[in-house]
Amino acid sequence: MPVMEKLKMFVAQEPVVAASCLLAGVGLFLPAVVRPILDSFESSKQVSQPALKEVLAGMTGKNQ
């Protein structure tokens, strides 16, 4: 029996399990592809963090 027929039977008999396997495959595949693409962009360079005093002042609304 060819592989495609077995796959069609599996999807017809167990659609929830087949969909779960498909989602798991996408979840494993995407990080392997997307991460290198994002790393290749110039915009993914490290941004300097603001000082903690500035963050707290911005959150509380108090000027320094």
Side-chain angles (χ1 to χ4, degrees):
M1 195 182 277
V3 175
M4 288 304 291
E5 289 208 21
K6 284 186 178 183
L7 184 61
K8 286 180 185 177
M9 283 181 18
F10 176 70
V11 171
Q13 291 175 353
E14 300 289 342
V16 174
V17 176
S20 177
C21 291
L22 179 67
L23 286 174
V26 169
L28 291 173
F29 177 74
L30 280 179
V33 173
V34 173
R35 189 72 241 167
I37 292 172
L38 291 176
D39 288 342
S40 69
F41 291 144
E42 296 274 335
S43 62
S44 64
K45 291 184 178 177
Q46 191 75 14
V47 178
S48 62
Q49 292 183 342
L52 185 58
K53 291 180 194 178
E54 296 174 11
V55 174
L56 291 175
M59 291 176 64
T60 59
K62 297 178 182 177
N63 293 333
Q64 293 181 359

